[in-house]
Amino acid sequence: MDVTKINFQKVLEGLDDELEKSCFIAIDTEFTGLNDGGSNKLSSLDTPAERYKKVLNGSSQFLVVQFGLSIFNFDKKIMKYGNKTYNFYIFPHTSMRGLCDKNFMSQASSLSFLANQGFDFNKLIKEGIPFLNFVEEEKFNLNLKNRKSSLNGDSKVPCHELSEIPSDQIGYVNQIVSKVATFLDISNGDEEKSPAILEFQCSSFQNELIFSFVRTRYPNLMFESVKKIGGSFTVTVKKAEFKTELMDRLPLKNHPIEDFLGFSEVIRKITNSGKLVVGHNMLLDLCHILGQFCEPLPEDYKDFKAMTNTFFPRIIDTKVMATTKPFRDLLPNSALGPLLNTLLKAPFRNTEIVTVKDFPSYTDSLKYHEAGYDAFITGRCFIALVNYLEDIQSACNKAMAVHESSLITPFYQKVFMMKVTDIPYMTLSGPDLEPSREHIFYVTFPQNWKLQDIFHLFSVHGTVRVDWASDTSAFVSLHRKENCHFVLSAFNESTLPVGCSVVSYESYINLKHKGVASLQAAEVQESSRKRSASVVHNSSSALPSPKKSRQELENPKLNKTQFAVSTDWD
């Protein structure tokens, strides 16, 4: 169901009940851009903290324009799932008093991609649901309070309240009092001859005198002050009917603040429900949702983990499930579309999903990159993945509904990290993985070096992977990790080419933290030349990853002691 500001309130009213009945929910988002590239380009050697920093710097200015919410509940009588999927269009406030006009970035490629998928930009801009995060809400409430105080005549002086009138300004204050009294007398007399406003110019100090000693005498009049270019002020005095009119126009006079929180209310309801939240490759989704609808994202990675656990204490990333044991050997492609295609076939079991009346049935339609559809597909994949874990158990007491299964516990609070093979996920609820990187070396070389030169340098050590840091530096990873102890001893000043150096990854990190300027990758700029970051084979005897036997694949057995999210990628 498409949700815009036209039907949003109706959907919001029933959402608490829908979430209460659900067994889990799946989410997805669409953005105006993904990453600004440059120094924020993702690397296969990123640590979780480094990856978060890149996501924070590279994508925080992009906007969530569509949010998919797919709600699943399980009927134990018929052993089927019921589903309601909402597709929210989201766009910032364009006429909110007290809030600045929101700016956001977009990438041409992202918008073009959405357009090719049939995204309705007219609906987005005309009917998109506005939102306020906690900071904007606080600012809005403060602005509203100040405006109410101003209209009620009890606000403070613009700068600071003066305790007495200087002797040389007594005449000026009396003159202003006389003008205001005359204005008020005329206003209370012949309405046709009554002026609408009283306006006069003054200095900054005289402006303070007016608000300290004149305004307090006339609580039924509204005083406003505007600073002009050059430092002078224009003070405007308005009659009671102007004050009443403005009071009537205050946005919260007839509406609670909840009416102006907009889509942020959906996120708060999800948080308050405590339900399991499922996503696919959801790091960007989490960052955008938290930063746009909750609070500005923190700079510190540990604070981000704490923030995520506060708003989403139970999340599961199906990308983590699909790329770790026992699924990684069964799923050749973990992208959402291909993943679903594989999970629809044996040995996976799919529980029937019944779409509730008046909601879109995505069972036989393909609407990839519509947030609602992708959320539904994510939930469907999650069900099939958990069913498989249950099916390969020898225990008899299997859970009927996926959210009740104890086998999903190892996947809680783990978020997939693209490209990083030795740290495939962030661990939000505890310490992150810290694999050994003894087999990785930081290499500097002349600018005219090519890939083949690095290939030749490490040829005696077997297959390597090259990750370019700049035009004159790269990280080289040995496939044969056991050879790492021979690399540094083999390289010395007499054997290394001129202008080339090789240090261990650990030494590189230590020197980088100390701020050694000679390490060019400490603050690298993306190379102007396009280079491949894929595995580079420097010999024909590349070591293949060991394969499981056919018998193991056909007859998998897994118990709770054996099952864990694994980082064994060899």
Side-chain angles (χ1 to χ4, degrees):
M1 174 187 290
D2 282 351
V3 185
T4 66
K5 58 186 176 184
I6 296 174
N7 62 340
F8 175 67
Q9 285 302 323
K10 182 178 180 181
V11 170
L12 193 64
E13 289 171 3
L15 196 55
D16 284 323
D17 186 53
E18 296 298 336
L19 292 172
E20 178 65 26
K21 295 177 182 177
S22 68
C23 60
F24 76 92
I25 65 173
I27 64 172
D28 185 73
T29 59
E30 296 295 336
F31 322 114
T32 58
L34 296 176
N35 193 300
D36 65 3
S39 60
N40 297 314
K41 186 175 181 180
L42 307 185
S43 166
S44 64
L45 297 177
D46 285 341
T47 64
E50 290 170 337
R51 176 59 57 86
Y52 170 68
K53 192 71 172 179
K54 289 181 178 181
V55 170
L56 175 66
N57 294 337
S59 62
S60 59
Q61 297 302 313
F62 295 117
L63 193 70
V64 175
V65 291
Q66 203 174 64
F67 182 92
L69 174 63
S70 195
I71 302 176
F72 292 83
N73 59 75
F74 187 71
D75 190 332
K76 294 183 178 181
K77 294 181 180 180
I78 61 175
M79 300 296 289
K80 296 179 181 179
Y81 287 92
N83 175 260
K84 291 184 178 181
T85 297
Y86 299 94
N87 191 51
F88 295 89
Y89 283 83
I90 305 167
F91 198 72
H93 286 281
T94 56
S95 59
M96 272 298 277
R97 291 181 175 275
L99 294 176
C100 63
D101 196 6
K102 185 179 291 292
N103 296 322
F104 61 90
M105 296 195 307
S106 62
Q107 286 179 306
S109 58
S110 294
L111 297 187
S112 177
F113 176 81
L114 289 176
N116 291 334
Q117 301 299 318
F119 190 94
D120 191 337
F121 287 97
N122 285 330
K123 180 181 289 187
L124 170 70
I125 298 172
K126 291 180 180 179
E127 303 175 14
I129 305 163
F131 56 89
L132 295 177
N133 61 31
F134 288 118
V135 174
E136 292 168 334
E137 178 188 358
E138 183 179 356
K139 180 180 178 181
F140 179 72
N141 280 328
L142 179 61
N143 181 274
L144 179 69
K145 180 180 179 181
N146 291 338
R147 291 178 63 212
K148 281 186 174 180
S149 298
S150 175
L151 293 174
N152 288 327
D154 57 359
S155 64
K156 301 296 183 181
V157 167
C159 299
H160 59 275
E161 189 169 354
L162 302 176
S163 58
E164 61 180 23
I165 305 173
S167 58
D168 62 337
Q169 294 294 325
I170 293 177
Y172 175 78
V173 172
N174 289 336
Q175 179 186 2
I176 297 299
V177 169
S178 176
K179 288 183 178 181
V180 174
T182 302
F183 170 75
L184 184 59
D185 289 340
I186 296 175
S187 299
N188 294 332
D190 189 348
E191 294 186 0
E192 293 183 0
K193 297 181 180 180
S194 174
I197 61 173
L198 172 65
E199 187 176 277
F200 39 84
Q201 312 299 317
C202 61
S203 66
S204 174
F205 182 67
Q206 290 170 338
N207 181 61
E208 296 179 19
L209 288 172
I210 292 169
F211 277 83
S212 296
F213 300 105
V214 180
R215 180 185 179 187
T216 54
R217 300 188 186 188
Y218 304 98
N220 293 325
L221 294 177
M222 186 175 71
F223 287 69
E224 290 185 336
S225 177
V226 178
K227 187 175 183 179
K228 301 175 64 178
I229 298 176
S232 63
F233 283 78
T234 297
V235 176
T236 302
V237 183
K238 298 180 181 180
K239 299 184 296 182
E241 53 262 35
F242 276 82
K243 180 177 177 179
T244 302
E245 177 186 343
L246 288 175
M247 287 292 288
D248 291 337
R249 288 164 53 193
L250 281 174
L252 299 190
K253 181 175 178 63
N254 299 313
H255 301 280
I257 181 62
E258 288 78 8
D259 290 352
F260 296 89
L261 294 177
F263 181 77
S264 299
E265 271 290 278
V266 174
I267 303 303
R268 298 181 190 188
K269 288 180 182 295
I270 292 174
T271 296
N272 293 335
S273 74
K275 296 296 181 177
L276 172 65
V277 177
V278 180
H280 186 82
N281 196 10
M282 62 189 306
L283 176 59
L284 273 177
D285 297 292
L286 286 174
C287 289
H288 279 286
I289 291 169
L290 293 171
Q292 188 165 319
F293 307 118
C294 299
E295 296 176 350
L297 290 173
E299 291 288 332
D300 185 75
Y301 172 58
K302 291 182 180 179
D303 292 338
F304 165 71
K305 294 170 75 168
M307 181 181 182
T308 305
N309 289 323
T310 297
F311 288 101
F312 297 106
R314 285 205 306 159
I315 59 174
I316 285 183
D317 191 333
T318 51
K319 184 83 169 181
V320 173
M321 295 184 71
T323 53
T324 52
K325 291 182 178 179
F327 297 106
R328 68 182 188 192
D329 296 318
L330 302 171
L331 302 171
N333 191 332
S334 61
L336 190 56
L339 176 63
L340 175 65
N341 292 335
T342 304
L343 293 176
L344 290 176
K345 307 169 187 176
F348 300 99
R349 171 171 56 89
N350 287 268
T351 308
E352 184 177 351
I353 299 174
V354 180
T355 302
V356 177
K357 184 181 178 181
D358 298 329
F359 282 81
S361 176
Y362 291 123
T363 306
D364 300 318
S365 61
L366 296 177
K367 292 186 177 181
Y368 288 117
H369 302 290
E370 176 193 271
Y373 177 78
D374 285 352
F376 171 78
I377 294 304
T378 297
R380 194 174 181 184
C381 289
F382 176 63
I383 293 172
L385 290 168
V386 181
N387 282 346
Y388 179 80
L389 294 179
E390 291 284 334
D391 289 344
I392 62 177
Q393 286 297 297
S394 57
C396 298
N397 56 340
K398 298 178 180 179
M400 288 188 290
V402 293
H403 71 293
E404 298 174 344
S405 174
S406 61
L407 296 176
I408 64 175
T409 303
F411 297 104
Y412 280 142
Q413 305 308 98
K414 293 179 172 64
V415 180
F416 186 72
M417 280 178 53
M418 294 177 61
K419 296 186 177 182
V420 185
T421 56
D422 58 354
I423 312 178
Y425 53 80
M426 294 179 175
T427 305
L428 300 177
S429 58
D432 288 296
L433 299 171
E434 294 184 2
S436 170
R437 289 184 169 177
E438 289 183 320
H439 64 294
I440 302 175
F441 300 88
Y442 177 76
V443 185
T444 60
F445 39 78
Q447 190 169 7
N448 62 351
W449 269 39
K450 307 296 183 183
L451 198 59
Q452 292 300 318
D453 296 307
I454 301 177
F455 159 87
H456 179 72
L457 185 65
F458 283 84
S459 58
V460 297
H461 301 293
T463 305
V464 299
R465 176 189 177 97
V466 177
D467 292 275
W468 296 94
S470 71
D471 279 339
T472 58
S473 61
F475 294 97
V476 177
S477 304
L478 304 184
H479 185 83
R480 296 183 179 182
K481 296 180 181 180
E482 66 274 12
N483 288 348
C484 66
H485 304 292
F486 308 109
V487 172
L488 295 180
S489 60
F491 290 137
N492 53 55
E493 292 185 5
S494 61
T495 59
L496 280 174
V498 176
C500 182
S501 66
V502 178
V503 299
S504 68
Y505 180 82
E506 181 180 5
S507 297
Y508 162 78
I509 293 298
N510 292 335
L511 291 172
K512 180 180 177 180
H513 287 167
K514 292 178 181 179
V516 176
S518 61
L519 285 177
Q520 303 170 25
E523 293 183 0
V524 299
Q525 297 295 328
E526 178 64 16
S527 172
S528 58
R529 294 181 293 173
K530 295 182 178 179
R531 286 168 162 161
S532 169
S534 59
V535 174
V536 180
H537 298 286
N538 57 11
S539 74
S540 58
S541 58
L543 294 179
S545 297
K547 301 295 182 182
K548 289 189 175 182
S549 68
R550 181 179 298 274
Q551 183 178 5
E552 289 177 312
L553 292 176
E554 292 178 350
N555 302 291
K557 292 293 181 182
L558 195 67
N559 58 46
K560 293 179 182 178
T561 59
Q562 293 172 323
F563 177 57
V565 179
S566 172
T567 58
D568 179 14
W569 291 84
D570 290 334

